[in-house]
Amino acid sequence: MVQKIAVIGAGTMGNGIAHVFAQNGFTVNLIDVNAEQLEKAIATISKNFDRQVAKGSVTEEKKQQALANITTITDIAEGVKHAELVVEAATENIELKLQIFKQIDEFAPAGCILASNTSSISITKIAAVTKRPELVIGMHFMNPVPVMKLVEIINGYATNKQVTDAIVDLSKRLGKVPCVVNDYPGFIANKILMPMINEAIYSLYEGIAGVEEIDTIMKLGMAHPMGPLQLADFIGLDVCLSILNVLYNGFGNTKYAPCPLLVNMVTAGKLGVKTGEGFYIYSAGSKELVVSDRFKK
Ligand code: CAA
């Protein structure tokens, strides 16, 4: 049974993935070329465990055990050499991912499953740069990983059935609910989510309603935890734009064409929570939602 995990990339998704594996008794090598990023990731994981300790879902002892299950490493070859599963959660950049998969294919043991947390890049394409395409699969976690129950599992064209079954079982061992889908642009999660977000941005761009109205309608009318514009800020407007482009190019259908307002905001560097401004303005420590001056009436 798979027990030794390597997670590549110590950003938001990578640290969340390391968190849930470590919490569930797996040993995790958390790998990032940037040592400072690794330090930050451990601090974030510890802080997120504190939330769970505070509400009583995890004991302090369990937190310490989980943290002890994580080793940080800057060298990919060293980090994956004993892994039974590698989960890649690097930046959503196709060239970077292909480069990483070539490397992990070279250094991970034969039989090790290689998973990507990509939100939209073709698993089949990633698998094609390795010598083990049948062992390559998509394991798409949702942000915040410790909270969100879903793992969208994506079968590449060559993914072996035993590999899919193993990843389904593993996701259940993490307390998650796996859903298996096929490898087409955006898979299912983003093929449905991104057109909704794009439509919300179009509605703002066309002046049909303001930021607060759009988000309130979807929150209170459809029981979404966040409105689509707030969710876009949370995901990152650059990520939303890049996924929409994958859908647009992949299906060749203008219904996925990104709204010009989204394109402008990304060009202007207003990427949402991570840059402090998107549809809303974010100041450290504040939970209050403040609409950006740009969209104030
Ligand atoms: N780690 C651990 N626990 C966390 C956490 C984290 N990073 N973030 C939040 N929590 C916990 C909190 O401790 C809290 O727990 P209790 O309710 O038990 O006390 C709970 O989650 C709710 O958190 P908050 O009270 O701080 O805030 P909230 O009620 O506004 O919920 C939220 C925050 C869970 C993020 C909620 O707003 C939400 O579900 N938003 C939508 C998230 C979503 O859609 N994610 C998917 C994005 S798409 C994606 O990831 C994939 C892609 O490809 C683009």
Side-chain angles (χ1 to χ4, degrees):
M1 213 163 31
V2 170
Q3 197 57 38
K4 293 185 204 140
I5 315 293
V7 175
I8 300 189
T12 308
M13 295 309 285
N15 78 52
I17 294 166
H19 177 132
V20 293
F21 274 110
Q23 183 181 345
N24 289 283
F26 294 83
T27 55
V28 180
N29 280 350
L30 179 58
I31 307 164
D32 199 298
V33 283
N34 182 341
E36 211 178 294
Q37 184 68 32
L38 285 169
E39 258 178 55
K40 267 201 228 159
I42 295 297
T44 303
I45 294 171
S46 178
K47 208 174 76 204
N48 285 335
F49 267 116
D50 286 341
R51 293 170 182 249
Q52 294 169 293
V53 173
K55 72 179 189 208
S57 64
V58 167
T59 61
E60 179 61 33
E61 191 192 356
K62 181 98 189 189
K63 170 191 163 181
Q64 294 307 334
Q65 273 169 7
L67 288 176
N69 285 341
I70 304 176
T71 306
T72 56
I73 299 184
T74 50
D75 181 46
I76 289 199
E78 181 62 27
V80 304
K81 74 177 181 198
H82 299 303
E84 291 159 306
L85 166 69
V86 179
V87 183
E88 170 276 321
T91 310
E92 196 70 355
N93 169 311
I94 184 150
E95 295 313 321
L96 176 70
K97 286 202 196 279
L98 297 182
Q99 180 57 36
I100 289 174
F101 270 81
K102 277 186 203 155
Q103 261 182 297
I104 53 183
D105 186 38
E106 188 179 343
F107 297 112
C112 172
I113 299 174
L114 310 185
S116 176
N117 177 59
T118 178
S119 48
S120 64
I121 294 171
S122 161
I123 299 301
T124 307
K125 198 168 200 167
I126 290 174
V129 301
T130 74
K131 295 189 188 72
R132 57 180 104 188
E134 69 287 356
L135 298 185
V136 178
I137 194 161
M139 206 176 178
H140 185 203
F141 290 84
M142 305 290 134
N143 186 24
V145 183
V147 179
M148 305 301 281
K149 281 287 188 191
L150 178 72
V151 182
E152 184 180 36
I153 294 173
I154 304 107
N155 276 331
Y157 197 81
T159 310
N160 185 313
K161 165 99 173 62
Q162 279 108 306
V163 170
T164 310
D165 292 345
I167 296 299
V168 164
D169 281 351
L170 190 74
S171 303
K172 291 182 183 163
R173 283 166 67 199
L174 296 175
K176 304 286 186 201
V177 177
C179 282
V180 180
V181 308
N182 291 320
D183 182 26
Y184 288 97
F187 318 133
I188 284 294
N190 283 318
K191 182 171 184 289
I192 296 174
L193 176 64
M194 288 302 156
M196 181 189 73
I197 286 178
N198 202 33
E199 200 57 40
I201 302 172
Y202 258 113
S203 304
L204 178 68
Y205 172 69
E206 290 160 347
I208 300 173
V211 170
E212 277 164 315
E213 288 73 17
I214 292 169
D215 274 358
T216 304
I217 284 168
M218 298 307 286
K219 268 199 291 195
L220 302 187
M222 285 49 164
H224 291 190
M226 287 175 168
L229 299 175
Q230 187 192 356
L231 182 56
D233 277 357
F234 178 69
I235 292 168
L237 300 190
D238 53 338
V239 176
C240 294
L241 176 60
S242 129
I243 299 173
L244 280 162
N245 278 326
V246 167
L247 291 168
Y248 182 38
N249 296 328
F251 290 112
N253 190 326
T254 51
K255 76 176 176 181
Y256 301 111
C259 175
L261 173 59
L262 173 64
V263 176
N264 262 357
M265 290 175 76
V266 172
T267 309
K270 306 294 181 198
L271 307 183
V273 177
K274 64 185 159 193
T275 59
E277 185 179 341
F279 297 102
Y280 297 90
I281 294 174
Y282 302 90
S283 47
S286 167
K287 278 197 113 182
E288 201 197 341
L289 263 184
V290 179
V291 174
S292 156
D293 288 342
R294 182 96 203 173
F295 301 112
K296 281 217 173 104
K297 290 175 214 144

